[in-house]
Amino acid sequence: MSKLTILRYPHPNLHKVACAVTAVDARVQQIVADMFETMYDANGVGLAATQVDIHERIIVIDVSEERDQPLVLINPELVWTSEEHVSNEEGCLSVPGIYDAVDRPERVRVVALDEHGSRREVEAEGLLSRCIQHEMDH
Ligand code: GNR
Ligand code: NI
């Protein structure tokens, strides 16, 4: 495992659009492990690969208090968003010190691959929903 460097605004690579992962193999699993190490070290609740200068659709999330509920989303797609929206404060590890309210759908359903390449569907609300949407925006 190795900790990766988180790009900070206004690094131009933060604007790059990530490509789909074509195979969930050992290379991708190493990226996932390194992203978790980086996210936990930074006390973040989520991290998108773009933030560590890897331009592939890979997201790691852990919104649990105990930091023991890792969630991996590869090639995520939103398949449903609620009509109801909610506004809440967001921060970003790539924009340290800045927090502002962002209006988003309250609940989402996302389909993605996990770290083993298995398709999974997650329905989320609250911080998890917000975090999934924030990471997908990266
Ligand atoms: O650590 C993070 N906290 C957070 C709080 C509210 C909404 C979204 C987030 S994501 C952020 C980590 C980050 O920058 N991920 O891209
Ligand atoms: Ni962010």
Side-chain angles (χ1 to χ4, degrees):
M1 296 242 291
S2 47
K3 194 167 71 111
L4 307 171
T5 301
I6 299 176
L7 301 183
R8 290 189 176 192
Y9 176 86
H11 196 292
N13 290 3
L14 288 168
H15 292 285
K16 291 181 79 164
V17 175
C19 295
V21 171
T22 53
V24 182
D25 53 14
R27 181 190 69 90
V28 170
Q29 288 164 350
Q30 183 64 56
I31 291 170
V32 166
D34 290 346
M35 286 176 64
F36 273 118
E37 183 179 348
T38 305
M39 181 193 79
Y40 287 127
D41 180 77
N43 294 314
V45 297
L47 190 70
T50 299
Q51 293 177 274
V52 290
D53 214 11
I54 296 171
H55 302 284
E56 302 183 45
R57 292 180 194 158
I58 305 171
I59 288 168
V60 300
I61 291 175
D62 190 338
V63 297
S64 70
E65 280 306 325
E66 305 292 333
R67 318 293 281 147
D68 61 355
Q69 286 176 58
L71 176 67
V72 176
L73 300 175
I74 295 170
N75 298 342
E77 292 181 52
L78 291 175
V79 294
W80 175 78
T81 60
S82 63
E83 296 289 334
E84 302 87 350
H85 283 226
V86 61
S87 184
N88 224 321
E89 290 286 304
E90 294 192 22
C92 182
L93 293 171
S94 294
V95 195
I98 304 287
Y99 301 87
D100 207 352
V102 181
D103 178 277
R104 294 189 186 275
E106 183 171 27
R107 289 180 293 141
V108 298
R109 216 173 287 143
V110 62
V111 170
L113 301 178
D114 68 13
E115 65 273 33
H116 308 295
S118 303
R119 180 184 179 278
R120 51 177 306 177
E121 186 163 335
V122 177
E123 183 162 333
E125 60 181 16
L127 179 59
L128 180 58
S129 170
R130 183 162 295 279
C131 189
I132 289 169
Q133 295 176 70
H134 175 110
E135 303 315 334
M136 289 182 72
D137 284 349
H138 276 295

